[in-house]
């Protein structure tokens, strides 16, 4: 029975993997989070890794407070970069496989078309810079690792755009939402299934892959869809990102091209609206 270590198990993606774990009785899942597997303490990572001796590591843990990272770069780097360097080295030396989750923020958002895995990263925020450094360390220290870049993740677990919108739509008569940042949402439950599909595939093909749900929308469009599905009456107004300044710069266009993961692993991404309906139903 393969032993699978999942870090960041209480986050959105880790929680969704927990939900799916009973469907995979051939895997022995060990779910850890910051309390028992702190990614900002390398000596603890090493000690715990040697105790657990996993066959596979799914790293869902990350410093994801994008704006806070601008003034907290040392901690963000220790979690998003240095910890990944340590984990990747441990996996390489022990022969364990590593699946690491990254982000669309490694790109600058100036592309007119969806980003492919071979497009040159150019992060514009501390969060993006630290996540790219983590990717680089991952590839360098454990060339057989799989890195999955994703975007706009939401789930019924944790804090995210969908849950925030649902709450605000219940509290307010109108909302202003950015309408000039475009991408595609990712339902964490779908991403969790993708990871487990890869782990049970007949082949292991290392490298970087892109995954999100299908669709090309703005945050404003996303909010409108949430309103429609949840049958809210709140008025949604579109505003430019310049009217809502944030410490960290967001990519204006961060659609991820999913051709590679479809071709290599036969993954069929779900339309974002179908997944959004499923998530809102589960919340009810």
């Amino acid at each position: 029975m393969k032993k699978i270590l999942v870090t960041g198990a209480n986050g959105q993606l880790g929680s969704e993997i927990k939900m799916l774990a009973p469907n995979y009785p051939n895997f022995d899942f060990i779910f850890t989070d910051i309390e028992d597997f702190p990614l900002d303490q390398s000596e603890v990572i090493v000690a715990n890794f040697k105790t657990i001796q996993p066959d596979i590591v799914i790293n869902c843990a990350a410093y994801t407070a994008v704006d806070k990272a601008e003034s907290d770069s040392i901690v963000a780097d220790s979690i998003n970069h240095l910890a990944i360097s340590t984990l990747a080295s441990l996996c390489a030396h022990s022969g364990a496989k590593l699946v690491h989750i990254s982000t669309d923020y490694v790109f600058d958002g100036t592309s007119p078309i969806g980003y492919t895995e071979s497009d040159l990263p150019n992060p514009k925020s501390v969060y993006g810079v630290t996540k790219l450094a983590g990717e680089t360390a991952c590839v360098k220290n454990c060339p057989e690792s799989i890195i999955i870049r994703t975007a706009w993740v939401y789930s019924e677990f944790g804090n995210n755009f969908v849950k925030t919108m649902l709450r605000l739509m219940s509290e307010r008569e109108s909302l202003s939402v950015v309408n000039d940042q475009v991408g595609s949402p990712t339902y964490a439950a779908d991403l969790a299934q993708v990871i487990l599909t890869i782990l049970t595939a007949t082949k292991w093909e290392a490298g970087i892959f892109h995954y999100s749900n299908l669709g090309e929308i703005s945050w404003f469009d996303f909010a409108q869809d949430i309103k429609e599905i949840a049958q809210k009456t709140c008025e949604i107004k579109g505003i430019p990102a310049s009217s809502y300044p944030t410490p960290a710069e967001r990519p204006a266009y961060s659609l991820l091209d999913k051709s590679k993961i479809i071709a290599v692993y036969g993954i069929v991404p779900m339309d974002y609206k179908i997944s959004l309906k499923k998530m809102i139903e589960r919340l009810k």
Side-chain angles (χ1 to χ4, degrees):
M1 184 179 282
K2 285 185 177 173
K3 200 181 283 185
I4 300 186
L5 168 63
V6 181
T7 64
N10 295 335
Q12 296 188 80
L13 180 57
S15 296
E16 295 289 2
I17 292 173
K18 270 186 205 167
M19 296 282 285
L20 293 173
N23 300 335
Y24 294 85
N26 293 335
F27 290 152
D28 176 18
F29 288 91
I30 295 100
F31 291 100
T32 66
D33 209 87
I34 192 165
E35 302 83 18
D36 42 17
F37 209 94
L39 286 198
D40 57 349
Q41 298 175 38
S42 61
E43 66 283 355
V44 181
I45 296 174
V46 173
N48 287 353
F49 189 96
K50 286 177 178 174
T51 300
I52 295 166
Q53 295 185 322
D55 298 296
I56 301 168
V57 177
I58 306 172
N59 180 46
C60 305
Y63 185 109
T64 56
V66 176
D67 289 321
K68 194 181 172 194
E70 293 296 310
S71 57
D72 197 20
S73 59
I74 292 171
V75 176
D77 188 68
S78 72
I79 294 170
N80 291 342
H81 165 213
L82 301 179
I84 311 315
S85 183
T86 302
L87 261 183
S89 294
L90 289 165
C91 286
H93 290 137
S94 69
K97 290 183 162 51
L98 172 61
V99 178
H100 173 59
I101 308 302
S102 193
T103 174
D104 59 322
Y105 276 70
V106 300
F107 297 113
D108 58 19
T110 59
S111 172
I113 56 170
Y115 283 99
T116 69
E117 291 81 357
S118 57
D119 284 327
L120 204 62
N122 184 29
K124 293 294 190 183
S125 63
V126 168
Y127 170 67
V129 167
T130 60
K131 289 296 286 182
L132 179 59
E135 285 187 13
T136 305
C138 199
V139 172
K140 179 187 173 188
N141 296 348
C142 185
E144 281 303 296
S145 57
I146 288 175
I147 296 168
I148 302 176
R149 290 181 184 142
T150 191
W152 297 24
V153 177
Y154 69 93
S155 160
E156 50 265 43
F157 302 101
N159 299 313
N160 55 70
F161 182 80
V162 178
K163 287 172 75 175
T164 299
M165 286 296 109
L166 288 169
R167 177 175 57 79
L168 292 176
M169 285 175 195
S170 298
E171 295 171 356
R172 301 183 188 176
E173 291 183 3
S174 70
L175 280 176
S176 296
V177 181
V178 171
N179 62 6
D180 58 355
Q181 289 174 352
V182 174
S184 187
T186 306
Y187 183 26
D190 293 342
L191 178 55
Q193 185 59 69
V194 164
I195 293 167
L196 292 167
T197 299
I198 288 172
L199 295 192
T200 51
T202 52
K203 60 182 174 181
W204 175 275
E205 186 157 329
I208 298 174
F209 295 88
H210 288 174
Y211 179 81
S212 68
N213 288 127
L214 295 176
E216 182 175 340
I217 58 170
S218 69
W219 291 109
F220 169 77
D221 299 325
F222 198 21
Q224 290 280 36
D225 292 327
I226 295 164
K227 173 187 170 179
E228 176 194 324
I229 293 165
Q231 298 180 318
K232 301 289 186 182
T233 56
C234 178
E235 182 190 1
I236 313 291
K237 299 171 184 172
I239 57 165
S242 56
S243 298
Y244 188 72
T246 54
E249 187 178 335
R250 267 77 173 158
Y253 185 90
S254 63
L255 199 71
L256 298 174
D257 184 301
K258 294 164 276 288
S259 308
K260 183 180 174 184
I261 203 166
I262 293 168
V264 173
Y265 283 109
I267 303 293
V268 182
M270 193 76 75
D271 180 270
Y272 83 92
K273 223 168 179 181
I274 293 171
S275 292
L276 178 60
K277 283 177 183 170
K278 197 184 294 180
M279 179 268 194
I280 290 174
E281 277 302 311
R282 273 170 66 171
L283 264 185
K284 288 177 183 174

